[in-house]
Amino acid sequence: MSAGHRSVNSTLPGDPPGGRRAMAVWGIGVSVYFVAVIFRTSLGVAGLDAAERFQVNASALSTFSILQLLVYAGMQIPVGLLVDRLGTKKVLTIGVVLFTAGQLGFAFSPSYGTALASRALLGCGDAMTFISVLRLGTRWFPARRGPMVAQMAGLAGMAGNLVSTLVLARLLHGIGWTAAFAGSALAGVVVLVLLLLFLKDHPEGHEPAPFPHRGAAYVRRQIAASWREPGTRLGLWVHFTTQFPAMVFLLLWGLPFLVEAQGLSRATAGELLTLVVLSNMVVGLVYGQIVARHHEARLPLALSTVGATALMWAATLAYPGDRAPMWLLVTLCAVLGACGPASMLGFDFARPANPPERQGTASGITNMGGFVASMTTLFAVGVLLDATGDDYTIAFSCVFVLQALGVSQILRLRSRAARRERERLVASRVETVHVPA
């Protein structure tokens, strides 16, 4: 077969080989992200306990998650630049130290103020994990495996969410607040040791080419060049529009909604939160396989997920009577499980739009989307609950506003991003594929 007829899925010249060694090294990076998500989502199962412990109302309770996500979102571009400049191992090491210290501080916080500071520290460390894991995947696996590697990383994050929902919730009500949060912090120490001993930024023989870094001018160029690419902006808006409904539900407001508005027991509400996570894991595998085989399916999958989420929220909130039936709540939670995998599709727009030396920066820009939307919704729900006397129907209606904004931007950018991606693909084939047979 001539080189000109190679499959587009074949490994490109210079691609990392993948294999068992890649899986082992990448697995260490994923384990760091797994622990970070346990810590990030720990408040989701402790929201009512936190409100009682610190004697705060809904708005103040939402401030925990808002501050954590504000720090997370604000750190995305700086972290992307750091990953491009320092490499994965150094950034992940800093991240583990910070989020472990934040979780430990939260365990022993005597007041609302110190607890807020601890969640901010946790958010700062958490911000350094996912982009680093994405970068690690691009350094150790062939480009054709990018969509599946990204979805598997997201799957590991949802496994962390599952641990938080099932294990930490039981510990919290079994051994108490301080012991549960302090004990969970030990997981951060374990992954730090693994990281320091075994993680490498790239396989031998695949060192990235040196790239000049010239202070503030370099930073501005990296950000500007990434932002100019329509694929980066499309990736941000896909992430923005798809991720936040499930994030808000799992991170804080799902348990109060199911217990206070729907009259469920904490045990039953916890089972529904677990269903969101399990659905996420299943859908993540399906979406990863589909996009790996049919790259053009990215946008239809994302928009279908947004439509299904909006439909289920509308059906749940508008259901006549005081409470929605269990079958509807189960369906809502199953559909919310698709939000995480759909948000990962945003990186599949940003990745081909940027060269290797900008991957961290572009991923940081993309990753800001969902967390800005989640932060906005967390705040809006808290304020609306206080203003309406805990009317969850009105409070959760803000979901539709952000979805409408996101979809409008996706539709505006999709043609430009597709055209630019085709141009880059043609240029890449000219340089790397059309060689003598």
Side-chain angles (χ1 to χ4, degrees):
M1 179 186 294
S2 70
H5 291 86
R6 289 180 191 157
S7 166
V8 295
N9 285 332
S10 62
T11 302
L12 295 176
D15 260 1
R20 293 181 180 178
R21 178 82 189 282
M23 285 298 298
V25 173
W26 182 72
I28 294 171
V30 168
S31 70
V32 174
Y33 178 56
F34 170 77
V35 173
V37 173
I38 294 176
F39 292 0
R40 179 201 302 170
T41 57
S42 57
L43 188 61
V45 297
L48 297 177
D49 299 86
E52 182 179 346
R53 179 181 177 87
F54 300 111
Q55 296 298 301
V56 294
N57 61 14
S59 296
L61 180 61
S62 67
T63 302
F64 277 123
S65 296
I66 291 167
L67 179 61
Q68 183 179 331
L69 292 185
L70 178 63
V71 172
Y72 187 105
M75 287 288 293
Q76 289 309 292
I77 292 178
V79 168
L81 292 164
L82 282 174
V83 171
D84 287 337
R85 182 164 187 171
L86 300 180
T88 300
K89 185 170 185 174
K90 291 179 181 178
V91 176
L92 276 179
T93 300
I94 297 170
V96 173
V97 171
L98 291 177
F99 70 60
T100 302
Q103 185 79 340
L104 195 61
F106 196 58
F108 293 99
S109 293
S111 66
Y112 178 69
T114 55
L116 274 179
S118 296
R119 296 307 286 187
L121 190 63
L122 193 156
C124 186
D126 182 19
M128 298 184 177
T129 58
F130 187 66
I131 293 175
S132 297
V133 171
L134 287 181
R135 175 61 172 265
L136 196 66
T138 63
R139 291 299 188 194
W140 280 90
F141 292 96
R144 64 187 173 86
R145 297 194 180 275
M148 180 55 70
V149 168
Q151 288 290 352
M152 291 299 291
L155 189 65
M158 292 313 297
N161 203 327
L162 188 62
V163 170
S164 179
T165 303
L166 295 178
V167 179
L168 191 59
R170 287 189 173 90
L171 287 175
L172 187 66
H173 299 116
I175 62 178
W177 178 283
T178 300
F181 279 99
S184 67
L186 293 175
V189 178
V190 173
V191 294
L192 178 61
V193 172
L194 292 174
L195 167 65
L196 293 174
L197 291 179
F198 301 112
L199 191 135
K200 294 184 179 296
D201 283 344
H202 47 73
E204 295 180 8
H206 290 270
E207 294 82 0
F211 194 78
H213 305 286
R214 299 190 179 95
Y218 160 75
V219 171
R220 288 194 297 270
R221 284 197 303 272
Q222 284 284 90
I223 296 173
S226 295
W227 185 254
R228 278 196 299 269
E229 291 292 345
T232 304
R233 283 174 279 145
L234 179 58
L236 179 147
W237 284 108
V238 167
H239 199 269
F240 176 101
T241 314
T242 54
Q243 187 202 49
F244 79 93
M247 176 69 74
V248 168
F249 198 79
L250 290 171
L251 199 60
L252 184 61
W253 291 122
L255 189 68
F257 168 73
L258 294 171
V259 173
E260 296 178 352
Q262 300 302 319
L264 303 180
S265 67
R266 286 197 182 201
T268 304
E271 291 172 356
L272 287 177
L273 293 180
T274 302
L275 175 60
V276 177
V277 178
L278 292 175
S279 173
N280 186 300
M281 298 171 77
V282 173
V283 174
L285 290 173
V286 174
Y287 278 17
Q289 291 287 350
I290 292 174
V291 174
R293 290 173 168 79
H294 307 285
H295 210 50
E296 67 280 0
R298 293 168 298 172
L299 201 56
L301 285 175
L303 292 175
S304 297
T305 302
V306 174
T309 305
L311 178 63
M312 292 315 304
W313 264 123
T316 301
L317 297 177
Y319 194 85
D322 293 335
R323 297 169 184 172
M326 180 57 71
W327 67 264
L328 184 55
L329 295 176
V330 168
T331 307
L332 169 67
C333 290
V335 170
L336 285 175
C339 292
S343 72
M344 300 301 298
L345 299 172
F347 298 100
D348 292 324
F349 290 102
R351 188 184 305 110
N354 292 273
E357 64 271 14
R358 287 207 309 265
Q359 288 295 320
T361 305
S363 295
I365 293 172
T366 300
N367 208 29
M368 284 180 63
F371 289 94
V372 168
S374 297
M375 179 178 59
T376 303
T377 309
L378 284 167
F379 175 74
V381 170
V383 170
L384 289 171
L385 284 175
D386 285 338
T388 61
D390 293 338
D391 188 326
Y392 281 89
T393 299
I394 295 175
F396 272 111
S397 295
C398 64
V399 168
F400 305 117
V401 177
L402 272 73
Q403 285 184 320
L405 171 63
V407 169
S408 68
Q409 295 301 310
I410 290 171
L411 296 178
R412 182 177 68 86
L413 289 164
R414 61 178 180 173
S415 297
R416 276 182 281 173
R419 183 170 61 251
R420 178 66 174 144
E421 189 171 304
R422 286 193 298 269
E423 292 171 356
R424 291 184 70 92
L425 180 59
V426 169
S428 175
R429 285 175 174 173
V430 169
E431 292 177 3
T432 63
V433 177
H434 290 285
V435 296

